[in-house]
């Protein structure tokens, strides 16, 4: 006892977490020098554009102006991005100190999990997330898990009912053998029975059989399209679903499936189980439901009547807990005696468990918030985070070595682009609203923090510059119009330096973070695709919405795909396969640069003054060549592939027609 008391006394004055610079002083100083040289080059590019702008009536004047505006956008956006690189820190929590000091005083925690469609987000996937949350290394009598089902599906309710029984076996199994991860489908897929531990092997085999039986029952019910009568009679909750219920027109449904206040709510070892609650909030056609923000606020209202915990963890339904100690890590930031009273929420970077070796869709752009929510846009978590920060609270960003949460990344290009469009559209709406960080945050948060928010809020408008750079130089190359300085000119140096510096630094940063060379190259391709399609269309839709000509919509991205698509994804083959307008844009840019590159080479070879022609057109030829290399998978999908993931012929013909018309149009 004296040893324990001594440890407590020694621990009492020590912080529960440490904040330190992510890089050494010399590295940070070197980066600042590098950034300064890039800034000087950017200013020189602007000066060149202003100095040599073509006169009125000269060919290429408006293209020149468009390039100048694009370079202004790129330059200012680059300056904004420096807010995230200038003073990078990392935080290290000490959960052992937390346990010594506060084990008997740990706060209650409410865990919110949101789902919206049992078809797009299958119940079998949702319950894995629920079970991982129920299995935290945390006192179960202080845990409450709430599932918000915005689809109002009896299949999801049935799956949660099955969980309430299976949890009696899964939780003690996890805690007895200290298993990781604690999402059963992921655990059983990753782990092979350990023949050296007979007790573990026997129990694992038994629990695995229980899980597979449960999963089979859930999948059978979903496939048959109805809950059998004998199952409905076993739980009164099914009476909520009748012939009058519709997805967007039903009463509020709240069912407590496990109540920790009930002494009989125990597992097979007699230990308390966490509270488990199903919620489907009331929906009426004539009332706005505010998407996920409405769902979260409904959860807050319901939980306040049941558990009313001071700490809330918010999870997407496809994002299981990968670390059973993640809650304790987070609490180190909230319960630290000196700084915890200022902490508003903890952010974790979102990671994915189904990323391919070289991350074909560059899925690693996003932060998850733990934190009612502000209405008005599809990315309400960002608005809420900003509002909280502007009230004087401090957010914490924590990026642990063991990923705390793992979700499901998009497995097709269409899914990835649709998701990116939704995010960028919502974020640009914030920038144009009263919540613009430069306005709402003025005088409340530091300028660096305002700029940090705008890195994401400006995804949509920055697409205009990228689209201009992907199209205008190619068109000018086709028409023989110069828009870059000659290679022998000193003005060429800042263009070359910014180009090389951007790619060299990006590559070095990616490799230092553990990426492969191929994954970095894939990210360059997806960066181009997103900016010229998803972000550009998001910009257009946001402008239309600001003019009052449309309303905000929320599009779910499917979490399941067929076997052929999954096989191509695992083999890192880009999935097209539809006549999406986004694919038409991608194909058009790829073909335009291919044609302009070939014609540019011909122009240089056949030119009378070959030396001058070479110097004049080598920059756009290099740019087109780079875009051709990036778009090699697009050419394969257009001309060579025969699988269902190829580009449809309709996309090819539309793209050829657009390129032909663009080539014939005069350049002003």
């Amino acid at each position: 006892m004296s040893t324990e008391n001594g440890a407590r006394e020694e621990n009492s004055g020590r912080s529960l977490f440490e904040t330190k610079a992510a890089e050494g002083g010399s590295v940070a100083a070197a980066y600042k020098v590098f950034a300064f040289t890039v800034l000087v080059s950017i200013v020189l590019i602007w000066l060149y554009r202003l100095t040599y702008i073509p006169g009125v009536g000269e060919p290429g004047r408006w293209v020149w102006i468009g390039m100048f505006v694009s370079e202004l956008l790129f330059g200012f956006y680059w300056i904004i991005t420096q807010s995230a690189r200038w003073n990078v820190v990392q935080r290290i929590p000490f959960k052992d100190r937390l346990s010594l000091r506060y084990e008997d005083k740990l706060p209650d925690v409410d865990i919110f999990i949101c789902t919206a469609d049992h078809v797009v987000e299958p119940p079998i996937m949702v319950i894995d997330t629920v079970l991982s949350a129920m299995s935290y290394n945390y006192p179960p009598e202080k845990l409450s898990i709430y599932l918000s089902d915005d689809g109002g599906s009896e299949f999801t309710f049935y799956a949660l009912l099955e969980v309430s029984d299976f949890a009696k076996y899964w939780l003690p199994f996890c805690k007895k053998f200290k298993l990781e991860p604690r999402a059963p489908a992921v655990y059983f897929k990753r782990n092979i029975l350990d023949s050296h531990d007979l007790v573990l092997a026997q129990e694992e085999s038994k629990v695995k059989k229980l899980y597979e039986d449960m999963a089979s029952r859930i999948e059978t019910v979903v496939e048959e399209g109805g809950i059998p009568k004998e199952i409905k009679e076993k739980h009164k909750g099914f009476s909520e679903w009748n012939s009058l219920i519709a997805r967007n027109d039903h009463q509020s449904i709240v069912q407590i499936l496990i109540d920790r206040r009930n002494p009989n709510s125990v597992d097979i070892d007699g230990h308390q189980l966490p509270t488990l609650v199903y919620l489907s909030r009331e929906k009426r056609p004539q009332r706005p439901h505010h998407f996920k923000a409405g769902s979260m606020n409904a959860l807050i209202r319901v939980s306040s009547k049941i558990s009313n915990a001071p700490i809330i963890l918010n999870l997407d339904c496809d994002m299981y807990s990968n670390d059973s100690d993640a809650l304790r890590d987070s609490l180190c930031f909230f319960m630290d005696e000196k700084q915890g009273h200022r902490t508003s929420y903890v952010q974790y970077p979102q990671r994915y468990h189904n990323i391919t070796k070289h991350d074909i869709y560059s899925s690693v752009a996003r932060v998850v918030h733990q934190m009612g929510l502000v209405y008005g846009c599809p990315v309400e978590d960002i608005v809420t985070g900003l509002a909280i920060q502007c009230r004087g609270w401090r957010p914490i960003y924590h990026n642990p070595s063991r990923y705390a949460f793992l979700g499901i990344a998009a497995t097709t290009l269409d899914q990835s682009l649709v998701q990116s469009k939704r995010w960028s559209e919502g974020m640009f709406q914030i920038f144009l609203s009263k919540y613009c960080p430069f306005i709402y945050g003025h005088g409340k948060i530091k300028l660096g923090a305002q700029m940090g928010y705008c890195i994401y809020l400006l995804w949509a408008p920055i697409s205009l510059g990228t689209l201009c750079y992907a199209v205008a130089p190619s068109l000018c190359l086709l028409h023989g119009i110069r828009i870059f300085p000659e290679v022998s000119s000193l003005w060429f140096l800042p263009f070359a330096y910014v180009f090389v510096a951007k790619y060299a630094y990006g590559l070095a940063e990616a490799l230092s973070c553990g990426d492969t060379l191929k994954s970095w190259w894939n990210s360059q391709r997806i960066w181009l695709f997103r900016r010229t399609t998803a972000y550009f269309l998001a910009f257009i839709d946001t402008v239309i919405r600001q003019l009052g000509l449309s309303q905000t919509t929320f599009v779910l991205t499917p979490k399941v795909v067929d076997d052929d698509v999954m096989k191509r994804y695992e083999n890192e083959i880009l999935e097209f396969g539809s006549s999406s307008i986004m694919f038409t844009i991608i194909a058009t840019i790829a073909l335009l640069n291919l044609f302009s590159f070939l014609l540019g080479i011909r122009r240089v070879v056949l030119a009378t003054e070959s030396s001058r022609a070479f110097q004049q057109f080598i920059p756009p030829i290099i740019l087109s060549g780079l875009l051709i290399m990036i778009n090699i998978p697009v050419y394969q999908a257009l001309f060579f592939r025969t699988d269902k993931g190829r580009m449809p012929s309709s996309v090819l013909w539309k793209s050829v027609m657009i390129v032909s018309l663009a080539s014939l149009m005069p350049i002003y």
Side-chain angles (χ1 to χ4, degrees):
M1 181 66 69
S2 59
T3 303
E4 182 179 344
N5 289 337
R8 287 179 181 270
E9 290 177 6
E10 181 183 355
N11 178 56
S12 61
R14 306 173 71 182
S15 177
L16 295 181
F17 70 93
E18 177 185 4
T19 303
K20 63 180 184 179
E23 300 170 337
S26 58
V27 175
Y31 178 78
K32 291 177 181 179
V33 173
F34 166 77
F36 178 75
T37 62
V38 173
L39 179 61
V40 171
S41 298
I42 289 172
V43 173
L44 288 174
I45 291 173
W46 292 344
L47 183 61
Y48 169 77
R49 288 292 178 201
L50 286 172
T51 304
Y52 293 95
I53 183 170
V56 178
E58 290 187 44
R61 174 180 170 85
W62 287 106
V63 173
W64 190 281
I65 293 174
M67 295 291 286
F68 177 47
V69 172
S70 299
E71 288 151 1
L72 283 174
L73 283 173
F74 290 150
F76 285 121
Y77 187 73
W78 179 86
I79 292 171
I80 287 174
T81 63
Q82 298 314 296
S83 62
R85 304 177 187 276
W86 208 249
N87 186 26
V88 182
V89 299
Q90 64 180 29
R91 296 180 174 89
I92 305 170
F94 302 111
K95 54 181 177 285
D96 53 338
R97 299 178 188 175
L98 176 77
S99 297
L100 280 171
R101 202 177 307 173
Y102 292 117
E103 187 63 34
D104 56 345
K105 300 177 184 178
L106 292 174
D108 287 7
V109 177
D110 288 344
I111 301 177
F112 294 170
I113 302 170
C114 298
T115 184
D117 190 316
H118 79 273
V119 176
V120 176
E121 299 166 337
I124 195 66
M125 176 193 71
V126 175
I127 65 171
D128 247 39
T129 300
V130 172
L131 285 163
S132 72
M134 295 179 72
S135 307
Y136 272 121
N137 180 23
Y138 203 77
E141 67 275 9
K142 297 185 177 184
L143 271 185
S144 297
I145 291 84
Y146 295 81
L147 177 66
S148 170
D149 177 19
D150 250 16
S153 169
E154 62 180 346
F155 300 112
T156 304
F157 174 72
Y158 169 65
L160 205 63
L161 185 61
E162 287 278 6
V163 164
S164 66
D165 185 59
F166 177 71
K168 297 175 184 177
Y169 302 88
W170 178 247
L171 269 62
F173 173 62
C174 289
K175 293 177 180 179
K176 179 178 180 179
F177 297 102
K178 299 181 180 179
L179 304 180
E180 298 288 357
R182 297 188 177 182
V186 181
Y187 173 78
F188 290 129
K189 184 178 180 180
R190 289 185 180 180
N191 291 274
I192 302 174
L193 289 176
D194 186 358
S195 58
H196 299 290
D197 190 334
L198 294 180
V199 177
L200 173 60
Q202 289 174 356
E203 292 204 28
E204 182 171 319
S205 179
K206 182 178 69 174
V207 175
K208 184 177 182 181
K209 179 66 165 56
L210 290 172
Y211 176 76
E212 290 173 343
D213 290 345
M214 175 186 68
S216 177
R217 290 192 297 271
I218 293 172
E219 289 173 346
T220 299
V221 163
V222 173
E223 289 171 3
E224 292 178 351
I227 309 292
K229 184 178 179 181
E230 59 270 21
I231 294 179
K232 288 187 174 182
E233 291 175 347
K234 292 181 180 179
H235 198 284
K236 63 180 181 179
F238 286 108
S239 63
E240 298 279 5
W241 283 269
N242 53 51
S243 58
L244 300 178
I245 275 194
R247 175 188 172 93
N248 291 315
D249 189 5
H250 61 80
Q251 77 283 6
S252 177
I253 304 173
V254 180
Q255 293 290 324
I256 303 178
L257 300 177
I258 300 177
D259 190 344
R260 69 188 189 201
R261 297 167 295 188
N262 184 343
N264 295 321
S265 297
V266 295
D267 61 28
I268 58 172
D269 290 342
H271 298 136
Q272 183 72 55
L273 286 170
T275 294
L276 182 62
V277 181
Y278 172 90
L279 165 67
S280 184
R281 60 191 169 116
E282 180 182 8
K283 282 190 176 181
R284 301 301 176 193
Q286 66 274 19
R287 297 180 190 169
H289 56 81
H290 302 293
F291 311 112
K292 188 176 179 180
S295 177
M296 287 289 293
N297 281 336
L299 283 166
I300 290 173
R301 290 192 295 271
V302 170
S303 65
S304 68
K305 302 297 183 182
I306 299 175
S307 51
N308 197 29
I311 304 293
I312 294 173
L313 167 63
N314 173 31
L315 297 175
D316 285 341
C317 66
D318 65 332
M319 187 170 59
Y320 68 85
S321 173
N322 189 54
D323 183 356
S324 60
D325 282 327
L327 277 183
R328 292 177 178 268
D329 283 346
S330 299
L331 287 176
C332 289
F333 302 113
F334 287 111
M335 300 185 71
D336 183 78
E337 291 86 348
K338 295 181 180 179
Q339 304 177 64
H341 65 284
R342 296 178 54 210
T343 302
S344 54
Y345 56 89
V346 178
Q347 299 176 324
Y348 286 86
Q350 185 162 5
R351 307 293 186 179
Y352 303 98
H353 68 86
N354 64 329
I355 295 294
T356 60
K357 181 179 179 181
H358 302 295
D359 193 10
I360 187 173
Y361 295 125
S362 190
S363 298
V364 294
R366 182 170 169 256
V367 168
V368 182
H369 295 276
Q370 297 187 352
M371 19 177 201
L373 268 75
V374 177
Y375 296 144
C377 75
V379 285
E380 59 284 319
D381 53 346
I382 292 181
V383 179
T384 303
L386 174 62
I388 291 174
Q389 195 171 355
C390 287
R391 293 172 186 168
W393 295 86
R394 185 182 68 169
I396 294 288
Y397 177 76
H398 180 43
N399 186 11
S401 55
R402 179 181 177 88
Y403 298 156
F405 308 99
L406 288 173
I408 297 179
T411 53
T412 71
L413 182 58
D414 187 56
Q415 289 177 11
S416 178
L417 294 179
V418 168
Q419 195 174 57
S420 296
K421 179 180 179 295
R422 185 180 76 210
W423 292 339
S424 56
E425 184 175 346
M427 290 187 286
F428 191 40
Q429 288 176 19
I430 296 173
F431 186 79
L432 297 178
S433 73
K434 67 178 182 179
Y435 291 106
C436 174
F438 291 130
I439 299 173
Y440 189 79
H442 179 67
K444 301 173 184 175
I445 59 176
K446 294 181 179 179
L447 178 61
Q450 298 171 30
M451 294 167 65
Y453 276 101
C454 289
I455 293 174
Y456 305 98
L457 305 192
L458 294 176
W459 276 353
I462 202 66
S463 67
L464 299 179
T466 304
L467 194 62
C468 181
Y469 248 77
V471 172
S474 300
L475 290 175
C476 290
L477 190 57
L478 287 173
H479 290 271
I481 298 174
R482 181 176 66 86
I483 56 171
F484 290 107
E486 296 178 357
V487 176
S488 60
S489 169
L490 290 177
W491 286 111
F492 179 72
L493 293 179
F495 284 90
Y497 181 75
V498 169
F499 178 83
V500 172
K502 174 189 178 299
Y503 281 99
Y505 178 80
L507 176 59
E509 186 177 57
L511 295 177
S512 68
C513 292
D515 289 347
T516 64
L517 178 63
K518 189 173 181 180
S519 64
W520 171 78
W521 185 246
N522 286 338
S523 72
Q524 303 308 301
R525 180 183 301 114
I526 298 302
W527 171 86
L528 175 68
F529 287 176
R530 286 175 180 162
R531 283 198 174 185
T532 55
T533 60
Y535 299 167
F536 175 61
L537 294 176
F539 176 83
I540 293 175
D541 284 354
T542 303
V543 171
I544 292 174
R545 179 183 179 275
Q546 292 297 116
L547 296 175
L549 301 178
S550 71
Q551 296 294 321
T552 299
T553 58
F554 190 87
V555 180
L556 286 172
T557 47
K559 304 298 189 300
V560 289
V561 294
D562 62 42
D563 292 339
D564 286 342
V565 172
M566 182 56 67
K567 186 175 181 180
R568 287 191 288 272
Y569 174 70
E570 291 171 348
N571 290 327
E572 299 197 322
I573 299 173
L574 284 179
E575 187 72 25
F576 296 98
S578 71
S579 300
S580 165
I581 186 175
M582 295 192 191
F583 295 160
T584 301
I585 295 173
I586 290 172
T588 300
I589 292 173
L591 291 177
L592 175 62
N593 279 277
L594 178 61
F595 296 157
S596 65
F597 179 80
L598 295 175
L599 188 61
I601 294 293
R602 179 178 179 273
R603 189 185 298 278
V604 169
V605 171
L606 298 181
T608 309
E609 300 176 14
S610 58
S611 177
R612 178 159 188 174
F614 176 83
Q615 292 190 42
Q616 182 173 338
F617 294 111
I618 199 63
I621 288 175
I622 291 175
L623 186 57
S624 289
L626 177 64
L627 290 172
I628 288 171
M629 293 173 62
I630 285 177
N631 281 303
I632 285 176
V634 179
Y635 303 128
Q636 293 172 336
L638 283 169
F639 302 117
F640 304 111
R641 285 171 55 181
T642 58
D643 57 76
K644 292 183 179 179
R646 67 185 183 278
M647 282 277 199
S649 56
S650 60
V651 172
L652 172 61
W653 297 122
K654 283 187 285 189
S655 300
V656 169
M657 185 178 299
I658 295 171
V659 171
S660 301
L661 291 174
S663 301
L664 296 173
M665 291 175 61
I667 299 294
Y668 297 101

